[in-house]
Amino acid sequence: MAKTVRMSDIAQKLGVSNVTVSKALADKDGVSAELREKIKKLAQEMGYHQNAAARSLKGGCTFNIGILVPEKFVVLSSHSFYWELYQKLCKALSKREYYGILEVLTKKDEENLVLPRMMLDSKVDGVIVIGQIKSEYIGALLKYDKIPLMFLDSYDKNYNYDVVLSDNFYGMYQLTDYLVKTGHKKIFFVGNYYATSSIQDRFLGYMKGLLDNRIEFEKDWVIFDREIGEAQITFSLPKEIPDAFACNCDEVAHVVIRTLTQNGYKVPEDVSVVGFDHFLSSEAQSQSGGYQITTFDVNMKEMAERAVDVLIKKINHKDIKQSRRTVTGSLIIGNTVKKRK
């Protein structure tokens, strides 16, 4: 039978006190970042695992983190962008010996400002909110100040709170600039910039890409892809087909490519298409027909780890400066863009 690894075993190996090991594993103050990582690494190597119930009784915490997702982002597909982000959050939490509890926010509860059950029932130590929710509901969450909150992938101008975002503005700027450099002049943006803060920032990045290249924007160069508050994608070809479509996400790019091919256009021979976030649902992947969308890769792993790190520090009452944290990504060149003369 394997011997149970205790804190004292870790402390003895590193020549530190049991208290130091305890503080490091609980992310409490009084231990340097370098020593904390050394202790955690050794604990993992030695197979140390503290009983969650014992930790809870000792520290008065549940060691559960709530993850709140609006239903509009998860009902359309069994493998959506936010399901993937949720999985990344669970992995990041597991590394910190926390558990993730998912609650889907229904449209009815969002409209009636009904707070998540996991918060009201004191089942979690903190909550991470994924995706865009109504401004009034954000206000209701922030008023309930008994547990710390963290937001992922959206922000609201009416409130100040901690949030982690992908680099929406600069990512779409890079994509638009790439299209121009490959000879495209008439570039249409596909996305409802009133729908989410992310789409709006991507639209502004697209605009900067045009402006920097001295291309005059025309108002009919924008095609809305969804209703406000909805995630269902709708797209119809415009009367005049542009050189390229800059889509607010890869799922939309997939719909655009499919619509173009159904109407006799070839991608990228006739029209180029770019997306954003480097993510396709399993259904879209199966229908991709060999297309590898030129896109901007969103670093979901880094976003999840950053959000978890900040939230746990807030739970432990550390002095964290409230801010919007942006996680950068990278351009991915696929086969949906062709160089024009």
Side-chain angles (χ1 to χ4, degrees):
M1 184 175 178
K3 179 186 174 184
T4 301
V5 178
R6 297 170 299 180
M7 283 191 191
S8 57
D9 299 322
I10 301 168
Q12 187 176 4
K13 281 223 170 199
L14 290 174
V16 298
S17 67
N18 290 357
V19 174
T20 299
V21 173
S22 177
K23 284 183 176 181
L25 294 176
D27 284 315
K28 291 183 177 179
D29 293 328
V31 184
S32 69
E34 184 180 356
L35 181 57
R36 187 190 310 278
E37 288 306 310
K38 190 180 291 186
I39 290 171
K40 285 184 176 182
K41 184 179 179 182
L42 181 60
Q44 189 175 19
E45 290 173 354
M46 293 177 68
Y48 173 79
H49 182 74
Q50 188 176 16
N51 181 272
R55 286 196 301 161
S56 178
L57 288 171
K58 191 174 181 179
C61 298
T62 67
F63 290 91
N64 295 325
I65 299 297
I67 301 171
L68 186 67
V69 187
E71 66 176 346
K72 62 190 173 189
F73 293 126
V74 294
V75 296
L76 295 178
S77 171
S78 59
H79 184 59
S80 67
F81 178 85
Y82 285 124
W83 275 124
E84 185 76 14
L85 191 53
Y86 165 69
Q87 291 173 25
K88 294 287 192 297
L89 282 169
C90 287
K91 287 181 180 179
L93 288 167
S94 180
K95 280 199 260 183
R96 307 295 289 273
E97 296 191 340
Y98 277 81
Y99 296 93
I101 296 180
L102 177 68
E103 184 167 331
V104 176
L105 176 63
T106 66
K107 189 175 182 179
K108 183 179 178 182
D109 282 354
E110 186 177 358
E111 289 175 347
N112 294 321
L113 306 184
V114 178
L115 292 178
R117 279 73 175 168
M118 57 188 174
M119 290 175 64
L120 298 175
D121 295 340
S122 302
K123 298 293 186 184
V124 294
D125 301 328
V127 170
I128 297 173
V129 182
I130 304 179
Q132 193 84 39
I133 56 178
K134 287 181 178 292
S135 184
E136 296 81 3
Y137 196 83
I138 294 173
L141 286 173
L142 294 172
K143 281 182 182 177
Y144 189 85
D145 58 359
K146 295 181 181 179
I147 61 173
L149 295 169
M150 191 75 205
F151 290 77
L152 254 180
D153 202 41
S154 72
Y155 63 90
D156 190 290
K157 68 175 184 178
N158 298 305
Y159 304 99
N160 291 318
Y161 48 75
D162 284 301
V163 60
V164 173
L165 302 164
S166 62
D167 201 351
N168 297 302
F169 178 85
Y170 188 63
M172 187 54 80
Y173 169 79
Q174 283 186 289
L175 284 163
T176 307
D177 187 62
Y178 174 73
L179 284 172
V180 175
K181 282 180 167 54
T182 49
H184 302 79
K185 300 295 183 183
K186 185 175 288 187
I187 304 166
F188 284 15
F189 180 84
V190 186
N192 185 343
Y193 45 67
Y194 293 120
T196 71
S197 59
S198 295
I199 295 177
Q200 190 169 96
D201 286 348
R202 291 169 195 178
F203 170 72
L204 294 173
Y206 153 82
M207 287 290 291
K208 179 173 171 58
L210 296 180
L211 289 170
D212 275 5
N213 287 286
R214 303 297 188 268
I215 294 176
E216 290 295 326
F217 168 75
E218 297 182 27
K219 62 181 181 180
D220 59 355
W221 285 15
V222 177
I223 302 173
F224 280 14
D225 66 333
R226 71 193 72 191
E227 297 294 326
I228 296 173
E230 302 294 332
Q232 183 69 49
I233 297 168
T234 57
F235 175 79
S236 298
L237 288 180
K239 291 181 180 179
E240 186 178 4
I241 302 300
D243 299 335
F245 289 99
C247 304
N248 73 86
C249 69
D250 282 7
E251 288 290 319
V252 172
H254 167 70
V255 172
V256 170
I257 292 169
R258 184 181 63 196
T259 307
L260 283 166
T261 54
Q262 288 172 350
N263 284 271
Y265 294 95
K266 293 182 179 180
V267 177
E269 289 81 1
D270 299 324
V271 190
S272 293
V273 178
V274 299
F276 197 101
D277 66 30
H278 198 209
F279 179 88
L280 277 179
S281 66
S282 52
E283 181 183 0
Q285 287 179 30
S286 66
Q287 300 171 354
S288 64
Y291 286 114
Q292 295 173 342
I293 299 170
T294 294
T295 185
F296 184 78
D297 183 34
V298 171
N299 193 339
M300 282 194 277
K301 180 176 180 290
E302 177 65 22
M303 288 176 67
E305 290 181 349
R306 189 84 64 88
V308 167
D309 181 61
V310 172
L311 185 61
I312 291 176
K313 285 177 180 176
K314 290 176 70 174
I315 290 169
N316 291 318
H317 308 292
K318 292 188 176 181
D319 186 19
I320 301 296
K321 185 178 180 181
Q322 195 175 70
S323 67
R324 293 175 186 168
R325 298 164 176 85
T326 301
V327 175
T328 190
S330 56
L331 205 63
I332 302 293
I333 306 301
N335 59 9
T336 57
V337 173
K338 182 179 180 180
K339 190 172 183 179
R340 311 291 180 200
K341 291 183 180 178

